[in-house]
């Protein structure tokens, strides 16, 4: 029998930004100290200021810091931690990392290396799903990775076909092939991107479902091997295969469909001997669902599940790693109300979403009932070009979906992010679109209605002068070592 590690007094965090902040908060509630393993570029961040202890593990490039297994483990040991929480992204789905953490005498807060290899590899996961009797999208998951063979298989499946990285996620190494004329170029491109992002060029093919909804189930394996699901989320609003808006629960499921999909999610997780938080993703079209993939980690969108169920998944992860969390079927709750999450990116929505880096002169998130913010930067911090441009998540809860949509629009309009462009105007237009309001959007929603940059509002001369003065004030405040939180323009330049 595996020996349980006992209660942790200090946990190392192998992540950054709002992810690290989220884990630090959960540790604080459990009375656990934290060690932030950070790069040289992140010394001016909220997580850096909040952690009990900080250890620099390398320069800004991720390969030299956040993706460096040895540097992360050495940092955790030097910081006196008993466990490492990988957050999501970076090394969170890396079986070699989970294995190395254990060999170093530390506890990996997440599923076992065996489970990550079994379910995290998209091809192996589909083989496991066949054994569990789960429906799969028609495709090719074979070992022959020659481009000519993959083109032959794509022809057999029938265009459009989507090519994906076997070890991938987050839209990396994923290409949509619409015809034979572009097949070779896109397959080779996907293989190169997969090699660069995940260390393996292996890809697989799937028939592209052009009217599908993206539905996922939160699963959780407890300390003794029980697996339960914590209901569903809908993430159909995606841009370049990356989610932008998520909600719980899905407006698209009947009670019967929800029951059957939840049972399927638990079936494959049980086969994979899953422990901790994970997500089983499905595509839903014409009333039929198909397994998409299993993410062996916490998801960016986990807060909407927490809001409708009143649970804390990060605390549950830590307690499970300590051997303390056991499912009690009587305690699994029924979703209450509706929750929506929007990802706030530092990007210019008027130029098609190009990244917008620089000084955050002033940031203000409006407080109120049913509002939650997860962010990694405060006023005076700098958005660098080295990492993902997501700077915050805004989450709302209300009694039903129409009220949650209206609350989210109000919150976004009242939010202040000054100094860099954000996608807030873009999000407001999406939330206001009739198809989103009706809940009938599919994964082609953005492609169909928001393919072009949104129109930039005209500023008059007075507004331009006010903006320039506010930015100059913010820069001056940072130079003198103070925060720019008293900007008189904060209430005026909303959601810029």
């Amino acid at each position: 029998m595996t020996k349980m590690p006992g209660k942790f007094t200090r946990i190392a965090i192998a992540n950054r930004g709002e992810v690290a902040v989220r884990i630090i908060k959960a540790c604080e509630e459990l009375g656990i100290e934290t060690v932030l393993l950070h790069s040289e570029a992140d010394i001016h961040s909220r997580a850096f200021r909040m952690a009990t202890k900080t250890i620099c593990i390398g320069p800004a490039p991720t390969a030299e810091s956040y993706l460096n297994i040895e540097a992360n483990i050495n940092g955790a040991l030097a910081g006196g931690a008993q466990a490492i929480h990988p957050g999501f992204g970076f090394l969170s789905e890396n079986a070699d990392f989970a294995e190395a953490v254990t060999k170093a005498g530390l506890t990996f807060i997440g599923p076992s290396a065996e489970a990550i290899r079994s379910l995290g590899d998209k091809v192996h996961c589909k083989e496991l799903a066949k054994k569990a009797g789960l429906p799969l999208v028609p495709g090719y998951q074979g070992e022959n990775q020659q481009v000519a063979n993959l083109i032959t298989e794509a022809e057999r499946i029938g265009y459009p076909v989507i090519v994906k990285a076997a070890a991938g996620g987050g839209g990396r190494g994923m290409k949509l092939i619409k015809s034979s004329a572009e097949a070779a170029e896109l397959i080779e491109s996907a293989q190169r991107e997969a090699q660069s992002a995940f260390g393996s060029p292996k890809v697989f093919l799937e028939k592209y479902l052009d009217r599908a909804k993206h539905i996922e189930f939160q699963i959780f394996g407890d300390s003794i091997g029980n697996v339960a699901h914590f209901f569903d989320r809908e993430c159909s609003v995606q841009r370049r295969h990356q989610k932008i808006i998520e909600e719980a629960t899905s407006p698209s499921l009947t009670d019967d469909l929800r029951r059957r999909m939840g049972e399927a999610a638990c079936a494959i997780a049980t086969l994979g001997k899953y422990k901790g938080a994970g997500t089983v993703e499905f595509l839903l079209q014409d009333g039929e669902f198909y397994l998409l993939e299993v993410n062996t980690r916490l998801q960016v969108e986990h807060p909407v599940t927490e809001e409708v169920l009143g649970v804390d998944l990060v605390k549950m992860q830590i307690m499970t790693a300590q051997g303390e969390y056991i499912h009690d079927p009587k305690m699994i709750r029924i979703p209450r109300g509706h929750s929506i999450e929007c990802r706030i990116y530092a990007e210019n929505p008027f130029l098609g979403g190009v990244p917008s880096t620089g000084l955050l002169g002033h940031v203000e998130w409006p407080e109120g009932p049913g509002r939650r913010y997860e962010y990694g930067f405060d006023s005076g911090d700098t958005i660098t070009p080295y990492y993902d441009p997501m700077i915050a998540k805004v989450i709302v809860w209300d009694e039903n979906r129409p009220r949650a949509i209206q609350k989210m629009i109000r919150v976004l309009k009242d939010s202040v992010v000054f100094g860099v462009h954000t996608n807030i105007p873009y999000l407001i237009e999406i939330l206001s679109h009739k198809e989103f309001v009706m809940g009938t959007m599919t994964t082609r929603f953005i492609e169909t209605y928001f393919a072009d940059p949104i129109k930039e509002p005209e500023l008059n001369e007075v507004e331009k002068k006010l903006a320039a003065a506010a930015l100059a004030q913010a820069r001056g405040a940072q130079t003198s070592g103070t925060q720019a939180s008293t900007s008189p323009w904060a209430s005026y330049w909303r959601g810029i």
Side-chain angles (χ1 to χ4, degrees), residues 467-488:
L471 183 58
Q473 182 198 37
R475 285 174 172 161
Q478 193 197 43
T479 302
S480 63
T482 60
Q483 299 294 306
S485 59
T486 56
S487 168

Side-chain angles (χ1 to χ4, degrees), residues 208-426:
Y208 180 63
L209 302 179
D210 60 357
R211 291 174 288 106
K213 282 179 163 287
H214 182 119
I215 310 291
E216 61 188 32
F217 275 73
Q218 177 70 57
I219 54 162
F220 202 97
D222 70 8
S223 306
I224 59 171
N226 301 309
V227 174
H229 78 76
F230 285 69
F231 292 90
D232 51 287
R233 301 185 281 258
E234 176 154 349
C235 314
S236 296
V237 180
Q238 301 177 7
R239 180 186 58 181
R240 296 190 288 273
H241 311 297
Q242 286 194 319
K243 303 160 189 170
I244 302 174
I245 298 174
E246 302 100 341
E247 55 187 310
T249 56
S250 167
S252 308
L253 301 187
T254 63
D255 289 344
D256 178 62
L257 197 51
R258 179 168 283 121
R259 177 187 57 77
R260 289 192 287 126
M261 292 176 76
E263 289 174 354
C266 288
I268 192 168
T270 301
L271 271 179
K273 300 177 182 176
Y274 204 84
K275 185 174 77 172
T279 306
V280 181
E281 300 191 340
F282 298 99
L283 290 177
L284 174 69
Q285 183 167 306
D286 300 329
E288 300 293 332
F289 65 90
Y290 307 91
L291 176 71
L292 186 59
E293 62 185 26
V294 178
N295 286 308
T296 56
R297 57 178 166 81
L298 202 64
Q299 295 276 93
V300 175
E301 56 270 28
H302 75 274
V304 292
T305 294
E306 295 183 326
E307 289 300 310
V308 297
L309 291 178
V311 298
D312 186 325
L313 292 167
V314 179
K315 286 168 65 175
M316 286 167 59
Q317 282 185 303
I318 296 170
M319 292 170 67
T320 299
Q322 293 180 152
E324 292 180 335
Y325 182 77
I326 308 294
H327 288 317
D328 179 353
K330 296 177 184 175
M331 296 298 290
I332 294 183
R333 306 173 186 182
I334 301 300
R336 173 179 167 272
H338 197 85
S339 182
I340 299 175
E341 173 182 293
C342 287
R343 303 186 187 196
I344 310 299
Y345 288 104
E347 63 180 33
N348 191 330
F350 312 117
L351 293 176
V354 297
S356 177
T357 59
L359 173 69
L360 281 174
H362 185 87
V363 181
E364 188 173 314
W365 307 110
E367 297 295 335
R371 303 173 180 198
R372 169 176 168 180
Y373 305 99
E374 306 222 333
Y375 53 97
F377 301 94
D378 295 310
S379 301
D381 290 338
T382 300
I383 305 299
T384 73
Y386 302 111
Y387 310 112
D388 185 287
M390 189 174 81
I391 58 175
K393 300 183 304 197
V394 176
I395 304 105
V396 301
W397 178 92
D398 216 313
E399 294 175 4
N400 54 47
R401 188 170 186 271
R403 289 189 180 185
I405 293 172
Q406 287 306 311
K407 178 176 285 185
M408 178 61 87
I409 292 172
R410 184 70 260 159
V411 169
L412 292 177
K413 286 182 176 178
D414 288 345
S415 296
V416 178
V417 180
F418 183 69
V420 299
H421 281 285
T422 75
N423 63 335
I424 286 177
Y426 186 71

Side-chain angles (χ1 to χ4, degrees), residues 13 15-22 24 34 36 42 44-54 375-378 381:
I13 300 168
N15 219 294
R16 62 179 299 280
E18 55 91 18
V19 187
V21 171
R22 172 74 182 88
I24 290 171
T34 51
L36 181 70
D42 277 334
H44 298 295
S45 69
R46 193 164 181 241
F48 185 90
R49 292 186 289 274
M50 290 176 64
T52 310
K53 188 178 180 67
T54 60
Y375 53 97
F377 301 94
D378 295 310
D381 290 338

Side-chain angles (χ1 to χ4, degrees), residues 160-163 174-178 182 186 208 241 447:
V161 166
I162 195 161
V163 54
M174 190 181 296
K175 307 288 178 186
L176 177 62
I177 307 172
K178 296 179 180 176
E182 59 187 15
L186 291 176
Y208 180 63
H241 311 297
E447 176 187 342

